[in-house]
Amino acid sequence: MRISPRHPRYASLTVRAHLADAGRAGLVVPEGLIAHGRGEAFDYFLGERTTPGARKAERVAAEWLLAARHAVVSVNGNVAALASREVARLARAVPGLDVEVNLFHRTGRRVRLVAEALRAAGVGRVLGLRPSATIPRLPSDRAKVDRDGIFDADVCLIPLEDGDRTEALQALGKRVISVDLNPLSRTSQAADLPVVDEVRRALTAIAREAERWPGASRPPRLRAFDRRSALAEALATIGENLTRSARRRPRGRPRTRAARRRSRGTAGRTRRTP
Ligand code: PTJ
């Protein structure tokens, strides 16, 4: 189906069509399409743009990746379909950043498809094809990792994840940076540095921040990050946007007499009969 560029939701429809194609090709699982719908809803509430709070989180995320002893970005089907190019840019911007395939719905074919998408986008080395270590106490295929990748990392960037793995990685002493549009998700709630933003916008912003660091210089340590205020700020933005929308009158709809009286502050007063 051809989507008209004049459609008011052209950008969103194009992404959906692209993900649906990736679903038919086997790169994205049906559950990934559901996850995308949830993400879209939160993006809508957030105003479909990077909030000032997310911008700050992205700046600190870039610093953490640069300051890490060994940083790894974990890539699943949705991330590969949506943001392989952004992952490649990030890998160029952060020296030593490893890129590892990690799937919840893991099959050999899907691992190969994710790796192919990443390589086609310019990622030189892809880990996770033959897992050599297991994350303890994680009862899913997400526990299968590369000994020289996620298992060794001290900082893990995990876009579109689940809360279980965030906690399991933290139990191994790793710092976790999440990218998730839902500030209420278990991942966002558990992450050391939750980035509440759309994955392509977030990875682009983190890469851009990392590119600002000149030459071989890097931050000396992982700067403290106030995760609670970051999440509170995202929720406040959603609240403000919803309140503003609720106050806005639907276009062309005349206001009722009761609404007019409410806005004049005379609601509830008895009307004098003429
Ligand atoms: O490819 P696989 O097999 O590893 O499976 C990937 C999915 C996404 C199906 C799997 O990780 C999953 O089930 O994820 P969840 O638990 O649904 O969590 C995904 C989270 O990402 C949700 O909180 C969504 O709100 C959020 N999300 C979805 N799309 C985006 C997003 N966040 C940022 N950008 C998006 N484009």
Side-chain angles (χ1 to χ4, degrees):
M1 191 190 93
R2 189 186 161 270
I3 303 163
S4 164
R6 291 213 304 272
H7 192 288
R9 301 289 304 159
Y10 175 74
S12 155
L13 293 182
T14 310
V15 172
R16 277 191 196 176
H18 173 67
L19 270 184
D21 283 345
R24 281 183 279 272
L27 177 61
V28 169
V29 282
E31 291 83 347
L33 302 181
I34 297 170
H36 180 75
R38 189 189 305 172
E40 263 192 337
F42 276 97
D43 206 17
Y44 215 93
F45 298 152
L46 284 159
E48 294 182 311
R49 62 193 163 77
T50 302
T51 63
R55 175 85 58 225
K56 188 173 164 199
E58 285 155 1
R59 196 174 316 127
V60 180
E63 288 184 22
W64 279 26
L65 294 176
L66 287 166
R69 172 185 59 77
H70 181 191
V72 176
V73 54
S74 173
V75 179
N76 64 24
N78 282 45
V79 175
L82 288 172
S84 279
R85 261 187 307 187
E86 288 77 1
V87 171
R89 177 173 173 181
L90 188 62
R92 283 193 300 273
V94 178
L97 178 77
D98 269 324
V99 179
E100 177 162 341
V101 181
N102 186 275
L103 299 177
F104 188 75
H105 307 274
R106 189 181 178 101
T107 64
R109 177 164 180 267
R110 287 196 69 225
V111 171
R112 278 194 301 282
L113 288 173
V114 172
E116 271 166 29
L118 289 168
R119 286 197 193 104
V123 177
R125 191 168 89 116
V126 180
L127 302 178
L129 276 68
R130 276 172 294 278
S132 44
T134 306
I135 301 173
R137 291 182 295 281
L138 190 58
S140 81
D141 273 351
R142 280 216 154 136
K144 295 178 181 170
V145 293
D146 199 307
R147 182 164 295 283
D148 299 324
I150 287 173
F151 198 76
D152 176 65
D154 58 338
V155 175
C156 295
L157 170 61
I158 52 165
L160 280 65
E161 266 282 349
D162 57 59
D164 284 358
R165 195 160 78 116
T166 307
E167 285 160 7
L169 291 170
Q170 288 170 327
L172 291 178
K174 301 173 194 308
R175 299 285 196 99
V176 173
I177 305 170
S178 65
V179 177
D180 190 327
L181 278 159
N182 178 2
L184 296 169
S185 76
R186 285 183 52 230
T187 310
S188 293
Q189 294 284 326
D192 299 287
L193 203 171
V195 176
V196 182
D197 200 1
E198 196 278 328
V199 65
R200 284 163 305 157
R201 291 199 304 264
L203 296 183
T204 303
I206 298 172
R208 201 183 299 123
E209 291 291 342
E211 286 158 4
R212 291 215 172 109
W213 283 82
S217 72
R218 27 192 277 176
R221 67 187 79 83
L222 304 193
R223 173 150 62 112
F225 183 76
D226 188 349
R227 43 184 297 282
R228 276 181 207 287
S229 11
L231 294 173
E233 206 175 322
L235 287 168
T237 303
I238 291 175
E240 283 155 21
N241 287 345
L242 290 178
T243 307
R244 201 173 308 122
S245 302
R247 289 210 181 113
R248 211 177 297 137
R249 192 159 30 119
R251 243 177 276 151
R253 172 101 40 97
R255 292 166 91 197
T256 61
R257 190 184 296 163
R260 277 200 302 273
R261 289 174 69 207
R262 263 201 306 279
S263 69
R264 281 202 308 266
T266 55
R269 287 194 214 153
T270 34
R271 213 152 46 99
R272 236 185 287 145
T273 40

